[in-house]
Amino acid sequence: MDEKEKIKERNEICSKTLKTGSRTYFFDARETRAGDYYLTITESKKNFTETGEITYKKHKIYLYKEDFSKFQSILDDMIRFIINEKGKEVISERHQKDFKNHNASYN
């Protein structure tokens, strides 16, 4: 095994994937050179060029252990705020052609 493969093997500890429509989220636990772990969260969004070619746009966040608690606290607060203000329904689904409002009352 060459040095590059050793680094790759050491760096990749655990991965989880979340696929949602045109987006995929990758959650990867990785290892620092010092042997500690950190988290990367990558959003990959599928796009189409004018010629129909598929491309992927990626955004990545590196989250280190010293920031976990504050990050989680703010994330939890923001999720609660959004749910309290707008509920759990995904409003953009109302605009899809095949949307059926199961909560509507019919007279």
Side-chain angles (χ1 to χ4, degrees):
M1 180 181 301
D2 68 7
E3 187 61 29
K4 201 173 199 178
E5 289 173 326
K6 286 179 185 176
I7 291 170
K8 185 176 180 183
E9 183 178 280
R10 182 188 75 216
N11 198 348
E12 296 175 357
I13 306 303
C14 177
S15 295
K16 300 244 180 205
T17 303
L18 171 63
K19 294 183 180 187
T20 62
S22 66
R23 289 183 174 89
T24 302
Y25 298 94
F26 300 95
F27 299 84
D28 300 301
R30 298 185 178 272
E31 186 175 14
T32 66
R33 290 182 184 172
D36 206 353
Y37 291 174
Y38 65 98
L39 174 67
T40 62
I41 303 170
T42 306
E43 175 202 38
S44 177
K45 185 173 182 188
K46 185 188 287 188
N47 293 306
F48 296 93
T49 65
E50 292 176 4
T51 62
E53 181 182 348
I54 297 173
T55 61
Y56 294 91
K57 189 172 185 179
K58 294 183 179 182
H59 298 91
K60 189 173 280 201
I61 297 172
Y62 295 87
L63 188 60
Y64 295 90
K65 285 174 23 182
E66 61 266 24
D67 301 322
F68 283 1
S69 179
K70 292 176 184 174
F71 187 93
Q72 183 175 9
S73 177
I74 291 172
L75 180 61
D76 290 343
D77 288 347
M78 295 306 294
I79 289 171
R80 272 193 299 278
F81 170 80
I82 291 168
I83 298 298
N84 288 338
E85 291 291 315
K86 294 295 181 179
K88 292 185 179 184
E89 177 191 6
V90 178
I91 295 171
S92 61
E93 289 178 353
R94 292 184 199 164
H95 303 288
Q96 295 177 3
K97 292 178 189 175
D98 60 348
F99 175 74
K100 293 180 181 126
N101 188 352
H102 296 288
N103 296 325
S105 59
Y106 299 99
N107 295 343

